[in-house]
Amino acid sequence: MSQYLLRRLLIAVPSLLGISIILFTILALAPGDPFGELATNPAVPPEVRAALREKFGLNDPVYVRYLRWLMAMSQGDWGFSFVSRVDVDVLILQRLPTTLIVIGASQVLALLIALPVGTYAATRPYSLFDQVANTLAFVGFSLPTFFTGIVFILIFSVTLDWLPFVYRSEIDATGFAFVWGHIKQAIMPVAVLGLFQGASWTRFVRSAVLDVVRLDYVTTARAKGLAERVVIMKHIVRNALIPVVTLVALQMPIVFGGAIVTEQIFRIPGIGSLLISSILANDTPVIMAVTFVFACLVILFNLIADILYGWLDPRISYR
Amino acid sequence: MAGSTRASPIVEPATGVPIAVAAPRRHVTPGREAWRRFRRHRLAVLSAGILMTMIVAVVFGPLIWRVPINEIDFAAMLESPSWAHPLGTDDLGQDLLARMMYGGRISLAVGLAAMTMAVVVGTLVGAVAGVSRGRVDAGLMWLTDLFLSLPQLPLLLLIIYLFRDSLKEVAGPEMGTFVLIVVVIGGFRWMPVARLVRAQFFSLRERDFVEAARALGASTLRQVVRHILPNALGPVIVAGTIDVAAAIIAESTLSFLGLGFPPDIPTWGRILYDAKDYLDVAPHWALFAGGAIFLAVLSINYIGDGLRDALDPRRVM
């Protein structure tokens, strides 16, 4: 198992390098100058600017600059935010947990919807339940997250006044009220993301289960006299999950996109809203770092998918 | 060929009327067969109707409803739908029907253009990978997988942030943003098409009819263009349909985050972005814009589902 993991980790390295090259190329091709701020400042004479350029190595060839940037990134030197005057890694570490909690909770919700609904629908194909579930899934993944978010705010915050629509990291309460306050403000963002993901996963689960349910070994399991619950849980679902894991891993970039939008709507202080605010404030080091963190997260989740793969299908894991 | 019995009746080329009915079996073209299958998916047909209505409305609507999109009228701020303003007005008293129709043109045009770009790039990459084996194939597939694991929305935002101003200077604010958004969205959506086309090429390349063409001395280009590509088209059309919906959502997301088209160009996403601060006083504003995006995306997805049924010959109906 550890050898398998190690190999997967080694495969992830070229992808990370590729992503870093793409990121750096975009930045290098972009018009504009990281010292543009200084150029507009009349107090800085042109000679000083030229000296600064020389000092920071901006006149070097592209590949030298890339290698230097890569070394700095890998040593944890992520730069300095122009706007908040803090180190970028501090800023990101402050906000990353919130993002991960919201994304994680919504994925759990999506799984809790998709697995039972998809399996139940596939074991009774073309029944009324299947048709209703199918239609709802179609509607669910055609609804963009920003629209669902707005409709949720309209219903639960504006009309019913049940839930707050601005996320606050500090809640001045203690004990039970503190926990409840956090749960209450997380309900809508998690529901928006989770329902969207759950809708598309339901379709994946349904078609995967449908593929497995007619195979011979399922008939054998039934013929042995196993309980229907055991057949479904141990024989059907476990095997059907293998293609679902692949599809879910492929969906991860979309999940992070949805998280950025959701954080922006509900003003959650995570890295997604950090990205938007730093783009609007021209804070280049933060933008680069957050984009890179998102890329790392996508690769991390692909890695987790690979591990799950090995657990679901023992034939794969030790090869 | 002369003297042999034809399987299908001979058809008069000009009129399409059978002139000699030797065999009673009707000749069914692939297109007609696909249409027959598509018609059986009732929701897909309904969706096609809805989408056509929306396209007609945004293309020809402004010719009938001649209210300018930027006529500011502070006497009619945030009004609910009425006869003077069928969809109500926004915070500057601008007519929402006119703005919705204008925005619909842009949103749908972005969707179609980005889909075209994604399909062209994807088909090209997939075809090159599928024809050439070995190193080229492996390299292209590594690139495809790399693009699949890129965080798309952050990169979209990054590219638009970096290149927006310089493109605006070259092509003007509206055209520049349009080109940038189409290229970037299309550039991040070609991967599924490339994979599909490559997989199709791998199976079609070894079929008898391609081998026959090869034996007759057809060049690689002719084999690909005349024999393999037309047969690989079905899944590509389905993927392309879904791409239109995804591109519309991507454009609306960008506009919704305030990083799409400039504020004076009302795309559906932009209207929703402007409306979100007035949810308590003018919910109709947000609901119409979001509803239009939702309806367009839903009907395109259903059409894709219907096309999947129609174009998959293995599917028995």
Side-chain angles (χ1 to χ4, degrees):
Chain A
M1 190 70 191
S2 60
Q3 209 191 346
Y4 169 74
L5 250 181
L6 194 70
R7 199 165 38 235
R8 299 307 311 179
L9 271 173
L10 285 179
I11 291 175
V13 171
S15 313
L16 269 181
L17 280 179
I19 288 170
S20 74
I21 289 178
I22 290 179
L23 256 181
F24 196 82
T25 318
I26 292 172
L27 195 71
L29 285 176
D33 192 334
F35 282 93
E37 234 181 325
L38 293 183
T40 50
N41 189 345
V44 181
E47 306 88 66
V48 175
R49 208 145 39 91
L52 271 175
R53 288 185 72 88
E54 196 58 48
K55 187 183 163 205
F56 286 104
L58 283 175
N59 298 330
D60 293 343
V62 174
Y63 66 92
V64 177
R65 277 189 287 155
Y66 169 70
L67 285 177
R68 195 183 304 123
W69 178 74
L70 192 67
M71 290 309 287
M73 287 294 275
S74 58
Q75 283 166 6
D77 176 11
W78 286 35
F80 191 75
S81 164
F82 293 157
V83 175
S84 16
R85 307 281 164 198
V86 206
D87 276 347
V88 174
D89 46 344
V90 175
L91 202 59
I92 288 178
L93 282 179
Q94 262 174 12
R95 290 174 166 239
L96 194 58
T98 319
T99 302
L100 288 180
I101 288 172
V102 171
I103 289 181
S106 63
Q107 302 300 293
V108 171
L109 175 67
L111 210 62
L112 287 179
I113 297 171
L115 263 186
V117 174
T119 314
Y120 192 83
T123 45
R124 289 157 188 74
Y126 306 107
S127 63
L128 184 67
F129 179 85
D130 184 31
Q131 281 172 3
V132 170
N134 233 333
T135 312
L136 284 182
F138 240 102
V139 170
F141 83 85
S142 299
L143 269 170
T145 38
F146 49 84
F147 186 47
T148 356
I150 281 184
V151 171
F152 272 34
I153 289 180
L154 196 60
I155 297 175
F156 295 110
S157 295
V158 176
T159 314
L160 296 172
D161 200 18
W162 285 353
L163 301 166
F165 62 88
V166 176
Y167 197 97
R168 287 177 303 162
S169 42
E170 271 132 41
I171 289 176
D172 25 299
T174 46
F176 179 73
F178 177 80
V179 176
W180 176 235
H182 268 288
I183 293 178
K184 218 164 114 177
Q185 67 183 359
I187 289 178
M188 281 202 293
V190 169
V192 165
L193 263 181
L195 290 177
F196 178 73
Q197 285 305 310
S200 49
W201 291 7
T202 304
R203 285 168 55 82
F204 296 159
V205 171
R206 178 183 177 272
S207 67
V209 170
L210 215 53
D211 280 345
V212 171
V213 89
R214 289 182 212 292
L215 292 183
D216 286 345
Y217 77 89
V218 177
T219 318
T220 313
R222 288 218 176 91
K224 280 197 301 189
L226 292 181
E228 187 64 21
R229 194 176 52 84
V230 178
V231 174
I232 289 178
M233 294 308 292
K234 288 208 162 164
H235 292 76
I236 296 178
V237 170
R238 182 159 174 177
N239 277 296
L241 276 182
I242 298 170
V244 172
V245 167
T246 318
L247 287 169
V248 168
L250 278 177
Q251 287 251 313
M252 269 348 264
I254 301 174
V255 175
F256 289 122
I260 293 176
V261 175
T262 318
E263 285 184 8
Q264 188 66 12
I265 298 174
F266 295 103
R267 295 173 212 170
I268 302 170
I271 55 172
S273 52
L274 177 67
L275 178 71
I276 307 289
S277 59
S278 48
I279 285 180
L280 294 176
N282 284 359
D283 198 351
T284 315
V286 182
I287 302 171
M288 292 297 287
V290 173
T291 316
F292 196 69
V293 167
F294 272 117
C296 294
L297 283 177
V298 171
I299 289 183
L300 176 75
F301 276 93
N302 280 334
L303 212 64
I304 294 176
D306 278 335
I307 296 169
L308 274 178
Y309 230 67
W311 173 68
L312 284 169
D313 190 349
R315 284 169 303 178
I316 305 174
S317 51
Y318 301 107
R319 246 189 289 147
Chain B
M1 284 297 280
S4 67
T5 332
R6 286 176 188 262
S8 53
I10 304 156
V11 173
E12 167 89 36
T15 57
V17 177
I19 41 174
V21 189
R25 200 148 56 94
R26 249 177 66 230
H27 178 70
V28 182
T29 61
R32 185 175 294 169
E33 170 67 11
W35 170 237
R36 189 183 68 81
R37 285 160 167 257
F38 184 77
R39 256 188 339 208
R40 301 178 73 151
H41 197 309
R42 271 173 303 165
L43 275 169
V45 177
L46 180 70
S47 301
I50 291 175
L51 190 68
M52 283 313 290
T53 316
M54 285 180 100
I55 292 176
V56 169
V58 301
V59 172
F60 298 107
L63 302 177
I64 301 163
W65 186 254
R66 292 176 164 280
V67 178
I69 58 163
N70 49 7
E71 193 182 61
I72 294 172
D73 177 8
F74 287 114
M77 262 164 44
L78 297 170
E79 266 181 15
S80 300
S82 64
W83 282 113
H85 302 286
L87 299 186
T89 55
D90 64 9
D91 58 332
L92 297 175
Q94 304 174 103
D95 182 62
L96 273 178
L97 178 61
R99 291 175 79 80
M100 290 283 295
M101 288 191 296
Y102 188 88
R105 283 182 174 184
I106 295 180
S107 294
L108 293 175
V110 166
L112 289 173
M115 176 273 284
T116 314
M117 161 122 187
V119 166
V120 168
V121 174
T123 311
L124 213 64
V125 172
V128 170
V131 168
S132 55
R133 303 151 196 244
R135 222 176 265 172
V136 178
D137 175 38
L140 282 176
M141 280 305 112
W142 181 78
L143 192 72
T144 309
D145 286 345
L146 181 67
F147 264 80
L148 273 174
S149 61
L150 285 176
Q152 290 168 9
L153 190 60
L155 276 179
L156 272 177
L157 294 171
L158 180 65
I159 295 174
I160 285 173
Y161 152 68
L162 288 172
F163 292 91
R164 187 165 48 171
D165 295 331
S166 50
L167 251 171
K168 251 186 226 167
E169 280 164 24
V170 180
E174 193 172 344
M175 207 49 212
T177 318
F178 182 83
V179 170
L180 183 64
I181 284 183
V182 164
V183 167
V184 175
I185 292 178
F188 281 115
R189 289 219 56 91
W190 55 267
M191 297 82 73
V193 177
R195 283 186 149 192
L196 272 175
V197 170
R198 173 175 173 270
Q200 289 276 310
F201 265 56
F202 270 42
S203 73
L204 287 170
R205 210 173 49 186
E206 312 301 335
R207 294 280 181 83
D208 289 342
F209 65 92
V210 179
E211 204 146 330
R214 208 175 301 144
L216 284 169
S219 64
T220 311
L221 188 69
R222 189 181 162 82
Q223 282 174 44
V224 168
V225 174
R226 291 280 307 174
H227 300 284
I228 302 182
L229 258 186
N231 284 293
L233 224 53
V236 174
I237 293 175
V238 176
T241 316
I242 311 282
D243 272 353
V244 178
I248 291 178
I249 288 193
E251 183 275 319
S252 312
T253 308
L254 290 177
S255 298
F256 182 77
L257 294 173
L259 285 158
F261 283 88
D264 52 330
I265 299 171
T267 69
W268 287 342
R270 182 79 214 185
I271 297 175
L272 196 57
Y273 172 75
D274 293 334
K276 77 176 192 310
D277 297 330
Y278 297 93
L279 281 180
D280 43 350
V281 279
H284 67 272
W285 185 6
L287 289 179
F288 281 130
I293 300 172
F294 167 59
L295 204 60
V297 169
L298 183 69
S299 46
I300 292 171
N301 278 336
Y302 265 121
I303 294 171
D305 203 44
L307 284 176
R308 193 190 321 257
D309 286 354
L311 295 175
D312 187 355
R314 280 162 303 180
R315 194 107 154 204
V316 184
M317 290 186 71

